[in-house]
Amino acid sequence: MELSSILLAFAAGIVGASMGGVQSFVFCGLVGMAGMGIDAALGGGIAWIGAIPFGFWFHPAMAFLGGVGAAGYARKMGYIESGKAAAGEPLADVRKPDVLLVGGLVGAIGYIVMIIITGADFLGIAADGGAIAIWPVSLVLKAIFDGGDIFGKVPDDIKAKGGRFGNHYDACWAPQQRGGFQKLVLGLGWGAVSAYATWFTFSLPGCAGFAPFIGFFVSASTLFFLLGGMNIPITHHITLTAGYGVLMLVTANGGTVEGIALYDALLWGVAMGMFGAFAGEFWADVFWVYGDVHVDPPAMAICTVSLCTMTFFPMLGLDGGVVLPIIIIVLSLVAGFLGKPKNVVA
């Protein structure tokens, strides 16, 4: 962990705060897709993706997290009204340099936490590095800037409608994907196409390094439309976990996709995509909905699922076969039946 890297992470946090955390995440997707094209055209191995979209410019644990931290600070100082909303607003417009500096500090902290948790010279935990850093740092930010309560207080009127897990629209993260069957179908569709793209890309020479991230970069880029007011679904916690499901199969197969049937890849991708979809909303109800500092539901879902595909499933010998993904899909179906929003007329 070099000082130059910490300083660059600090700069990335300033960038994320100045342009907006969500905006920086969109650029992570756009630049990532461009990088995949360049990498594939030049035969692979140019390290563009690791240096820019997943490096010291747009990495979510630096730029996005810097925007989130700066938004929480700006709300605490009374510069803005909502810390959640400001996670998707360019905070340069607040015209307070201290806000941007806090973004830089949070970006540096995000990088340090990520290296400590996942770095081979430190804890070396196998999981998505960005997600496993964003989650705990965001909780600390919520505790600091939102009154010390990381869960938030459930209002009495919401308690009367079923409480924190009442599955209602009155207090929720993303209404366009609320409800069990809505998440089930989104997990199916986005998980399947991401799994296919990952499986196919693993078969191309020089493209294995970015194969699991195709769906993630596409999903991140689609948030451009969300910023423009279109209620498209938020899907990167579905597409990335689907890609990680295929990556697990490839890793267990000696690092090659040869011999892995498309149907097996799709089965695991859909199962992990559904897992990610349900985990995202569950963690949103736990940490995001109540309070006014952004704690990222997709990052929490990606952390949860990636710990399974990269650590727990391989450790338990569950990184292959069809039984476990079928069980997860069946459980998702059950959750779909049980998860109809309460205050919606059928």
Side-chain angles (χ1 to χ4, degrees), residues 168-306:
H168 39 66
Y169 283 101
D170 295 303
C172 69
W173 163 50
Q176 68 271 32
Q177 49 208 84
R178 189 66 153 171
F181 277 114
Q182 185 80 340
K183 292 191 290 294
L184 182 79
V185 175
L186 289 172
L188 169 64
W190 286 84
V193 295
S194 180
Y196 169 73
T198 301
W199 176 85
F200 175 75
T201 306
F202 264 120
S203 69
L204 302 177
C207 296
F210 60 76
F213 306 114
I214 295 175
F216 173 82
F217 287 137
V218 171
S219 292
S221 301
T222 64
L223 295 184
F224 170 83
F225 299 103
L226 190 68
L227 289 170
M230 301 180 190
N231 284 330
I232 64 166
I234 302 163
T235 58
H236 54 283
H237 59 304
I238 298 173
T239 51
L240 184 56
T241 54
Y244 282 158
V246 178
L247 172 63
M248 182 186 67
L249 295 181
V250 171
T251 302
N253 195 46
T256 177
V257 75
E258 293 184 16
I260 298 176
L262 174 59
Y263 291 110
D264 289 342
L266 291 176
L267 184 65
W268 274 98
V270 167
M272 294 303 100
M274 290 179 177
F275 188 0
F278 280 94
E281 190 163 72
F282 171 78
W283 290 124
D285 286 337
V286 174
F287 293 115
W288 185 89
V289 174
Y290 304 99
D292 196 22
V293 171
H294 184 82
V295 181
D296 197 57
M300 293 185 280
I302 292 167
C303 179
T304 302
V305 180
S306 67

Side-chain angles (χ1 to χ4, degrees), residues 31 61-62 72 89 97 99 144 155 158 162-163 219 232 287 303 313 317 330 336:
V31 176
M62 299 174 231
E89 296 177 0
V99 172
I144 294 172
I158 299 300
S219 292
I232 64 166
F287 293 115
C303 179
F313 291 167
V330 170

Side-chain angles (χ1 to χ4, degrees), residues 24-44:
S24 74
F25 187 73
V26 170
F27 269 85
C28 175
L30 294 173
V31 176
M33 288 197 295
M36 288 189 297
I38 295 170
D39 205 352
L42 297 180

Side-chain angles (χ1 to χ4, degrees), residues 94-112:
V94 176
R95 303 174 194 179
K96 299 286 187 180
D98 53 317
V99 172
L100 304 183
L101 289 172
V102 168
L105 177 62
V106 173
I109 292 171
Y111 169 75
I112 292 169

Side-chain angles (χ1 to χ4, degrees), residues 84-133:
K84 283 181 180 175
E89 296 177 0
L91 294 175
D93 193 43
V94 176
R95 303 174 194 179
K96 299 286 187 180
D98 53 317
V99 172
L100 304 183
L101 289 172
V102 168
L105 177 62
V106 173
I109 292 171
Y111 169 75
I112 292 169
V113 170
M114 178 175 65
I115 296 301
I116 289 174
I117 294 176
T118 63
D121 295 330
F122 297 92
L123 296 179
I125 295 174
D128 182 277
I132 207 170

